[in-house]
Amino acid sequence: MEVSYNNRSLKIDGEGKIIISGAIHYPRSTAEMWPSLMQKAKDGGLNAIETYVFWNAHEPSYREYDFSGNLDLVRFLTTVRDAGLYAILRIGPYVCAEWNYGGFPVWLHNLKPNITLRTTDDTYMDEMKTFTTKIVDMVKQANMFAPQGGHIILAQIENEFGNIMSDFGDEGKEYINACADFANSLDIGVPWIMCQQQDAPSPMIETCNGFYCDAYSPKKNDLPKFWTENWTGWFKAWGDRQPYRTAEDVSFAVARFFQYGGSLQNYYMYHGGTNFGRTTGGPYITTSYDYDAPLDEYGNVNQPKWGHLKQLHELLIAAEKILTNGVRRDIDYGDMMGVSVYEFSGQRFCFFGNANNQDEQTFSFEGNNFTIPAWSVSILPDCFIEVFNTAKVNTQKSIMVKRPNEADQGEEPFNLQWTWLPEYVEKIKKPMAHSLKTKGTKYVNKLLEQKAATNDTSDYLWYLTSVNINGSDKVWNKEITLQVNTQGHVLHAFVNGQHIGSQWGKGGKYDFQFEKNITLTAGNNSISLLSVTVGLKNYGAYFDKTEVGVVGPVKLISSNDTMDLSNNSWAHKVGLHGEVNEFYQVEKSNHLTWNAENLPTNRMFTWYKTTFQSPPGEEPVVLDLMGLGKGIAWVNGNNIGRFWPSFNSDNNGCSPTCDYRGSYDSGKCVGNCGKPSQRWYHVPRSYLRNDGNTLILFEEIGGNPSSVTVNTVAVGSVCGNAFEGSTLELSCQGVRVISDIKFASFGDPIGTCGSFATGTCQSPNSKDVLIKNCLGKQSCSINVTEWTFEPSGCQIFPKRLAVEAIC
Ligand code: GAL
């Protein structure tokens, strides 16, 4: 295939293309999940899949590469190809993406002092070129670029550098030019893109990212209008409420983009997935990266978003010729109402767009009257009959439920049986002595920055020192204050072995000052600080320079003196004892003597272990970790991510309904107020074994594992809504069948899903029709007409059928 472009679109073998792409990041699911994700993307009307490439995952240590399991990029791209989809490869290798350190390996930052990433620094440039070249070569070897007969049609270098370029002065421009020159030299045979890079150096194609990109146009007028990130929802940090972006608003944004000349659009994310292990960026990004994407975290279809967008995609792709070649005429009706007519070789295609966020608009077009709801776009493939309106959602709404593990309901006890081990904490009186014996200990007269000390091999870094107090000293032999200045992200402080307090940033602010009153004793006193990272920063100018950990000063403050301990002799110890000794590996854990008695609760630094049977069937598996504090969880040795179910979101700001009309932002339409930001944790099916599974938790701040359960997640109920003249489709989206019709009314029903009620009139046999056609089936469809139902006596047109069914 030959890939080129003109100012309208990408061209494949000379033909203009409408590209509807979706982001699926391979490390955020498993290789076993990829085929079904691709199929669902294809069924959802996509013709391309986009991914970033995650450098720090592939090169965890300098020149040691990993392309195994869910890091098998070529296997991922092969899955995309096998599904008949194009691929867009955003190599970066800086990727942002709420990914740890934006995808940069921390060893790169530690390679030499004062290195600044994303500049023309020689070391940085060399390394980024080495990695990018490696990826390009790998993909070339698999013949995956379009001119090689492959399916990759675009590649990206850097990411949104334009957003921060001015912070770098002239150097910024030099750097982006160097990136462009380098990309060009790789000779991949398909165009390169640079997102959020206004006036990108030729021949890079600049592209737009955002919730809306209809008003965007590239600076150079020979370039097509591309949208690389249409944010389908938003990510979440610990303490955040759940962001939602409605199907109505996403489809409105898409339709407007194509109305105003766009031709390539990529959903960010189409499947968000999970930040397994220590891959989240941040700081403080949750393990779930669900994003309210059309495919949910576990790979289930998120309805109605997925289905509503599918209808739109099919219309746009069917109009490919007209949209990429046609002449466009815009007619302004005032009040934000605009009609666009595309015309090409005798055929027409119309968008009727109403961007007024309050009022529907009625107007006349070529002698016919049309009414377009507020904040919506209608599509009329012949400019005569409306076949789709972004605000009229006909797709079912699916309500997902978690069901207890069926394997547990036989002979097995439902409650998991737990054993435990304490994390070895310093023999506190002599922390230095102990630390010095420990491998990896760094013993210096200062406080080390955490990334520098750990190379990011662990979240945990101990800072240990001691203070000698003379028994006759008047200043220090009374209550004083320990003050610790840290760059985050979590701090646990101990004096003489006693936990004196813990603290972490709130509302996204990660640097803080910890202060606590303490009393020292005569002689040696130990001060042990455990600093914990929760995902390294991934965005902003110079984000790579952001310091983490206890960078100080650390002080003792009495009423008449201050003792600065920052230049004391500090021992630094990387990682937990159980982490270094791999307590979480099943084999290793079997050689330890776990305590079965006196299961502690609310105890810091505790390892818990249990076993469970795999839930039968194929439905995704999730752990309910309610009751636990914060820590890390492993299933059969696989790190399923950090948990922090004790971190609740704000009580306020949620509303049961969301008015999608008007510009979306991530603070609009939030849910899950006053509840754990993340209670459920995905365990991919491929991590499970038929002969039983081991779950190991490290509990850092104290919690109770007794209420932990294993669950499956699937559709619990579905709601459908259809007007007379259309077809209502209901589906349990899997092997389950419709087991009950909770509500059905053909007439003028009121309310919304979960609270439907009959209106003033209805067909008496409404429910019977649904029972006859749908009960016991995985899916069914009903023609919503007078003939399907008994007379309703309603004097209205069109009547509406509303159904709530149980799966
Ligand atoms: C963009 C960035 C993406 C992602 C997104 C927010 O600015 O390019 O990588 O971070 O924001 O989810």
Side-chain angles (χ1 to χ4, degrees):
M1 289 188 307
E2 187 219 17
V3 184
S4 59
Y5 59 87
N6 62 10
N7 64 351
R8 296 297 292 276
S9 73
L10 204 66
K11 289 174 134 199
I12 295 186
D13 289 336
E15 298 290 323
K17 278 287 176 196
I18 291 292
I19 302 291
I20 312 278
S21 170
I24 300 182
H25 296 156
Y26 51 95
R28 287 177 156 146
S29 51
T30 59
E32 290 75 9
M33 290 168 70
W34 297 339
S36 121
L37 294 175
M38 296 313 153
Q39 196 53 49
K40 287 172 182 164
K42 175 133 198 190
D43 294 345
L46 265 54
N47 57 10
I49 297 295
E50 176 270 331
T51 185
Y52 282 131
V53 178
F54 300 86
W55 185 0
N56 54 7
H58 291 303
E59 196 176 349
S61 315
Y62 182 73
R63 297 295 183 267
E64 280 174 31
Y65 295 100
D66 185 358
F67 289 92
S68 66
N70 68 350
L71 296 177
D72 191 339
L73 174 63
V74 169
R75 176 169 172 190
F76 177 80
L77 291 171
T78 305
T79 318
V80 174
R81 188 194 62 202
D82 290 351
L85 298 161
Y86 296 124
I88 299 173
L89 195 60
R90 296 206 290 160
I91 302 176
Y94 163 68
V95 297
C96 196
E98 291 71 69
W99 188 264
N100 192 34
Y101 211 40
F104 284 140
V106 170
W107 57 253
L108 174 63
H109 168 76
N110 292 339
L111 264 187
K112 74 173 187 200
N114 300 325
I115 187 171
T116 308
L117 310 185
R118 306 178 84 190
T119 63
T120 50
D121 176 281
D122 288 347
T123 309
Y124 167 71
M125 265 331 244
D126 283 353
E127 288 303 319
M128 89 83 131
K129 285 181 181 177
T130 305
F131 178 73
T132 307
T133 308
K134 185 175 178 74
I135 295 300
V136 165
D137 287 349
M138 183 179 268
V139 168
K140 271 189 188 164
Q141 243 157 47
N143 290 319
M144 283 179 164
F145 286 111
Q148 303 178 286
H151 59 306
I152 300 179
I153 52 173
L154 285 176
Q156 179 176 291
I157 192 86
E158 248 295 335
N159 189 78
E160 291 195 333
F161 189 72
N163 288 1
I164 51 149
M165 192 162 87
S166 59
D167 294 272
F168 291 81
D170 289 345
E171 245 222 310
K173 195 97 200 139
E174 269 168 46
Y175 168 62
I176 208 67
N177 287 335
C179 288
D181 289 346
F182 163 63
N184 257 329
S185 74
L186 291 170
D187 200 20
I188 57 173
V190 301
W192 286 97
I193 53 175
M194 280 185 169
C195 63
Q196 292 287 91
Q197 191 67 51
Q198 209 199 28
D199 204 13
S202 291
M204 307 285 118
I205 304 177
E206 65 162 282
T207 68
C208 178
N209 292 346
F211 289 114
Y212 308 90
C213 278
D214 50 280
Y216 156 86
S217 59
K219 183 102 190 252
K220 300 189 180 72
N221 55 19
D222 58 342
L223 292 180
K225 175 167 167 174
F226 287 175
W227 186 6
T228 30
E229 292 183 24
N230 175 0
W231 301 322
T232 50
W234 201 242
F235 60 86
K236 196 171 52 175
W238 301 108
D240 280 358
R241 298 159 296 192
Q242 181 71 39
Y244 292 104
R245 189 179 181 202
T246 61
E248 288 92 336
D249 186 54
V250 182
S251 59
F252 170 76
V254 175
R256 272 182 77 79
F257 177 70
F258 286 94
Q259 170 168 6
Y260 292 109
S263 60
L264 176 147
Q265 186 247 186
N266 176 57
Y267 292 106
Y268 189 99
M269 302 293 298
Y270 195 72
H271 171 253
T274 309
N275 293 312
F276 298 113
R278 305 180 50 251
T279 60
T280 74
Y284 305 119
I285 306 286
T286 57
T287 294
S288 170
Y289 198 62
D290 179 84
Y291 223 91
D292 196 23
L295 301 178
D296 74 13
E297 176 178 3
Y298 319 114
N300 288 317
V301 166
N302 175 10
Q303 294 282 50
K305 201 178 256 184
W306 179 86
H308 190 54
L309 292 170
K310 169 189 166 86
Q311 293 174 12
L312 176 57
H313 302 155
E314 284 165 357
L315 290 167
L316 293 168
I317 288 182
E320 181 168 83
K321 273 224 147 51
I322 313 180
L323 294 177
T324 58
N325 297 290
V327 176
R328 185 177 100 221
R329 185 164 53 95
D330 293 332
I331 310 160
D332 185 3
Y333 284 84
D335 258 352
M336 314 287 281
M337 178 68 225
V339 162
S340 301
V341 185
Y342 281 85
E343 199 157 357
F344 180 65
S345 70
Q347 286 188 306
R348 300 201 305 167
F349 190 90
C350 280
F351 295 87
F352 290 3
N354 178 7
N356 188 302
N357 61 18
Q358 293 295 317
D359 306 322
E360 63 174 30
Q361 307 273 350
T362 299
F363 63 99
S364 163
F365 175 76
E366 297 181 350
N368 297 310
N369 280 342
F370 293 92
T371 299
I372 309 297
W375 203 255
S376 81
V377 178
S378 284
I379 290 188
L380 300 82
D382 56 0
C383 296
F384 186 59
I385 295 173
E386 170 188 302
V387 301
F388 181 85
N389 173 275
T390 57
K392 297 177 189 163
V393 178
N394 297 311
T395 301
Q396 74 177 31
K397 181 179 171 73
S398 304
I399 304 199
M400 308 308 284
V401 297
K402 276 81 175 184
R403 295 180 172 91
N405 184 359
E406 284 171 28
D408 281 331
Q409 288 173 345
E411 315 90 69
E412 294 222 13
F414 181 74
N415 284 330
L416 299 168
Q417 300 297 307
W418 292 95
T419 56
W420 68 284
L421 273 180
E423 159 70 9
Y424 180 83
V425 181
E426 303 312 312
K427 271 281 169 276
I428 304 290
K429 267 288 177 183
K430 286 194 175 165
M432 307 295 276
H434 166 75
S435 309
L436 283 173
K437 274 189 250 142
T438 314
K439 217 171 118 199
T441 295
K442 294 175 181 157
Y443 186 17
V444 283
N445 284 335
K446 62 176 180 184
L447 294 153
L448 295 179
E449 194 273 338
Q450 191 155 346
K451 282 193 303 303
T454 65
N455 238 340
D456 199 35
T457 51
S458 167
D459 282 359
Y460 299 95
L461 178 65
W462 283 100
Y463 294 80
L464 310 160
T465 197
S466 61
V467 182
N468 198 287
I469 299 296
N470 187 328
S472 57
D473 189 308
K474 294 263 158 16
V475 180
W476 301 105
N477 263 323
K478 58 179 183 199
E479 196 176 67
I480 53 167
T481 304
L482 170 66
Q483 183 196 76
V484 181
N485 292 282
T486 173
Q487 291 287 321
H489 307 139
V490 172
L491 178 76
H492 303 295
F494 300 79
V495 173
N496 292 330
Q498 294 304 311
H499 175 233
I500 58 155
S502 298
Q503 194 171 323
W504 45 84
K506 296 271 150 63
K509 196 173 143 49
Y510 49 85
D511 52 330
F512 56 88
Q513 185 175 74
F514 170 92
E515 278 194 331
K516 194 81 189 179
N517 288 350
I518 58 168
T519 12
L520 299 178
T521 55
N524 250 348
N525 293 272
S526 72
I527 295 181
S528 315
L529 307 173
L530 180 64
S531 176
V532 188
T533 53
V534 190
L536 298 178
K537 201 167 181 199
N538 58 271
Y539 183 71
Y542 304 105
F543 78 87
D544 50 301
K545 303 253 192 198
T546 309
E547 297 197 312
V548 216
V550 181
V551 292
V554 174
K555 292 179 186 167
L556 292 175
I557 303 166
S558 80
S559 46
N560 38 10
D561 201 2
T562 296
M563 198 191 297
D564 191 338
L565 303 179
S566 309
N567 295 320
N568 249 33
S569 177
W570 286 93
H572 298 77
K573 196 169 78 145
V574 180
L576 303 165
H577 176 74
E579 200 180 18
V580 175
N581 293 287
E582 303 188 340
F583 283 13
Y584 52 85
Q585 294 295 1
V586 181
E587 270 304 299
K588 298 223 165 122
S589 79
N590 289 342
H591 291 116
L592 300 168
T593 317
W594 296 74
N595 307 306
E597 305 297 309
N598 304 326
L599 190 78
T601 57
N602 290 323
R603 182 185 186 285
M604 290 181 82
F605 300 153
T606 309
W607 293 82
Y608 292 106
K609 178 178 175 178
T610 191
T611 56
F612 64 95
Q613 294 302 314
S614 303
E618 295 297 316
E619 287 166 357
V621 177
V622 291
L623 295 179
D624 180 358
L625 295 187
M626 194 72 169
L628 290 173
K630 172 188 185 292
I632 309 178
W634 292 265
V635 173
N636 298 330
N638 299 286
N639 187 332
I640 63 164
R642 299 187 185 94
F643 61 82
W644 204 343
S646 61
F647 207 145
N648 282 355
S649 71
D650 212 311
N651 275 322
N652 304 308
C654 290
S655 74
T657 55
C658 154
D659 185 356
Y660 62 83
R661 299 171 309 169
S663 278
Y664 179 80
D665 65 67
S666 59
K668 193 178 163 182
C669 302
V670 289
N672 198 42
C673 280
K675 302 219 178 80
S677 286
Q678 190 179 348
R679 169 173 176 179
W680 306 95
Y681 296 81
H682 184 206
V683 183
R685 278 271 173 194
S686 59
Y687 290 180
L688 297 177
R689 302 208 300 235
N690 290 333
D691 57 349
N693 307 291
T694 304
L695 167 63
I696 294 177
L697 307 172
F698 172 66
E699 172 56 68
E700 177 186 320
I701 63 175
N704 182 354
S706 318
S707 49
V708 168
T709 56
V710 178
N711 301 262
T712 53
V713 55
V715 174
S717 59
V718 297
C719 287
N721 213 345
F723 286 95
E724 207 169 347
S726 63
T727 308
L728 177 89
E729 316 253 8
L730 294 177
S731 165
C732 290
Q733 296 173 204
V735 293
R736 288 178 192 274
V737 295
I738 294 174
S739 59
D740 189 19
I741 302 294
K742 209 168 146 197
F743 179 88
S745 177
F746 178 56
D748 61 349
I750 54 169
T752 53
C753 184
S755 63
F756 282 136
T758 29
T760 59
C761 58
Q762 68 167 339
S763 295
N765 70 341
S766 299
K767 202 163 177 172
D768 295 343
V769 171
L770 267 292
I771 289 175
K772 185 158 160 271
N773 285 282
C774 298
L775 215 60
K777 295 187 181 159
Q778 289 175 352
S779 62
C780 60
S781 73
I782 310 271
N783 282 332
V784 187
T785 65
E786 280 283 1
W787 297 279
T788 313
F789 296 91
E790 282 171 9
S792 61
C794 300
Q795 299 302 315
I796 49 158
F797 182 83
K799 289 186 277 299
R800 182 166 82 109
L801 171 64
V803 181
E804 183 176 348
I806 306 296
C807 289

